[in-house]
Amino acid sequence: MALSLLNVLSIVLYIQCFAGITVNLIIAAASINKWKTQNFFLTCDKILSCLVISRSLSIFNVFMVNFLYQFYPWIIQNFVVKAALLTNGIFLHYTDLWFATVLFVFYCVKITSYNWKFFIILKTKISILVPWFLLASLIIAISSSLPFGLYLYDLSFQDALNSSEELISENKVSKVENLYSQSLIVLAGSYPPFIIFMVANCLLVCSLWMHTRRMRSSGSKFRSPNLECHVSAVKNMSFFLVLQMIYFLYINLLYSGSLRNNAELRAVSLIIICSLPFFHSLYMICSCREIKKALVLLWSSLF
């Protein structure tokens, strides 16, 4: 029964991976086609293209690792290969988190209207700073994933050494300490982008609240294009915030090592992790006029 359930979960995971990669590559192709037809690349499109490409690579990595676990387990038994694959996976997930944070920080800065000096400077320079933000995101993702890889490599090496010396009984306290240390390393890399996104979301909601109060006090029409833009942005960011919270929870749960002995729960976690970027990308396609127009242009150019 357990094997049958695991096979069903694996099939669902492969379907979810295929759907997620397809949706994200469609957005990337639409953005590139828009760039070719209009001869310029908007800053938002640059961030979005980086995000969807990163998501596609991340989902493909999940597919490959699960495929190797299921059909070629002897490859994963090599602790060097295992550490390299898991480190690559956590690097791609960190990159997803940072690119998504950059996208919504850009979204927040462009829409909100605070009079803080730093915020005004950031608002005028954001388009120039975005490429540097993306580069910094890659550097931070690499820097955050290296400690995880080194720790995992050292842990796998110790396990291999202990098994070669036929140390059958392991210390339970040592296991708990290893899981705790691994969880801290993963959290240290995933907390900063999540906190920054939370701050950006709060700033946008506060901006909407202040803007609504000003409109009510001035006696102007309550519904205006500017207010509609704020409301739409808050809905989008709130929806993505919920997805990010779930994604954040399951990523840290998966890479903490606590699911290593439960293949079914691990498969369910991977399905959820791959589903969240898929639903957000699908939501962006359905809610963004620019992406819809780019898809229409792409479709007309292909057919």
Side-chain angles (χ1 to χ4, degrees), residues 135-146:
L135 179 61
S137 298
L138 283 174
I139 295 174
I140 296 173
I142 294 173
S143 303
S144 303
S145 58
L146 283 178

Side-chain angles (χ1 to χ4, degrees), residues 12-303:
V12 173
L13 176 60
Y14 294 146
I15 295 173
Q16 185 60 62
C17 288
F18 176 77
I21 293 172
T22 301
V23 168
N24 284 285
L25 288 182
I26 285 174
I27 297 177
S31 299
I32 294 172
N33 187 69
K34 178 183 175 183
W35 173 39
K36 290 175 62 178
T37 54
Q38 298 182 358
N39 293 324
F40 66 90
F41 214 20
L42 294 176
T43 304
C44 185
D45 291 334
K46 293 177 184 177
I47 308 173
L48 186 61
S49 298
C50 291
L51 176 61
V52 296
I53 291 173
S54 174
R55 282 177 171 177
S56 299
L57 292 174
S58 179
I59 295 173
F60 180 74
N61 181 79
V62 170
F63 170 81
M64 285 300 301
V65 172
N66 193 77
F67 184 81
L68 291 176
Y69 264 110
Q70 188 173 8
F71 297 103
Y72 301 97
W74 57 271
I75 297 179
I76 305 296
Q77 289 175 0
N78 186 309
F79 64 88
V80 177
V81 175
K82 182 179 179 180
L85 288 173
L86 292 177
T87 304
N88 181 62
I90 198 67
F91 161 70
L92 290 172
H93 287 302
Y94 284 158
T95 305
D96 293 348
L97 289 172
W98 277 110
F99 282 170
T101 300
V102 171
L103 176 64
F104 281 87
V105 166
F106 174 80
Y107 200 24
C108 174
V109 170
K110 281 295 185 181
I111 292 176
T112 54
S113 55
Y114 290 103
N115 294 325
W116 307 328
K117 186 176 180 180
F118 172 76
F119 202 86
I120 293 173
I121 295 174
L122 186 61
K123 199 178 190 70
T124 56
K125 302 288 186 181
I126 188 68
S127 297
I128 302 173
L129 293 174
V130 158
W132 295 101
F133 286 162
L134 294 174
L135 179 61
S137 298
L138 283 174
I139 295 174
I140 296 173
I142 294 173
S143 303
S144 303
S145 58
L146 283 178
F148 176 80
L150 292 174
Y151 178 80
L152 204 63
Y153 177 84
D154 182 63
L155 194 64
S156 300
F157 181 77
Q158 289 180 10
D159 289 342
L161 187 63
N162 291 340
S163 63
S164 65
E165 294 176 359
E166 297 180 355
L167 297 176
I168 301 174
S169 61
E170 295 180 349
N171 191 347
K172 293 184 178 180
V173 177
S174 178
K175 278 188 174 182
V176 173
E177 289 178 352
N178 290 337
L179 288 176
Y180 180 72
S181 301
Q182 189 170 330
S183 299
L184 285 180
I185 292 172
V186 176
L187 284 172
S190 54
Y191 251 120
F194 182 72
I195 295 300
I196 294 172
F197 178 82
M198 289 283 292
V199 171
N201 191 76
C202 291
L203 287 174
L204 185 57
V205 172
C206 290
S207 176
L208 172 64
W209 181 72
M210 290 187 297
H211 183 74
T212 305
R213 285 191 61 186
R214 284 196 298 266
M215 293 187 66
R216 284 177 174 174
S217 61
S218 63
S220 60
K221 189 177 179 180
F222 182 72
R223 307 299 281 184
S224 69
N226 191 22
L227 185 61
E228 289 291 343
C229 184
H230 275 70
V231 172
S232 177
V234 169
K235 288 180 180 179
N236 292 338
M237 294 189 74
S238 299
F239 175 72
F240 186 61
L241 177 62
V242 174
L243 295 183
Q244 282 290 86
M245 291 174 66
I246 302 173
Y247 185 82
F248 176 83
L249 174 65
Y250 277 92
I251 279 294
N252 288 279
L253 181 65
L254 178 67
Y255 281 95
S256 66
S258 57
L259 301 179
R260 66 178 66 178
N261 296 324
N262 195 321
E264 288 78 14
L265 283 180
R266 182 178 173 275
V268 171
S269 298
L270 288 173
I271 291 171
I272 295 174
I273 288 170
C274 293
S275 299
L276 298 177
F278 165 74
F279 284 123
H280 181 248
S281 298
L282 195 63
Y283 180 79
M284 285 194 295
I285 292 176
C286 297
S287 61
C288 183
R289 296 179 184 177
E290 293 296 325
I291 296 178
K292 288 181 180 179
K293 290 179 181 178
L295 286 174
V296 171
L297 291 173
L298 178 62
W299 181 265
S300 60
S301 63
L302 292 176
F303 301 97

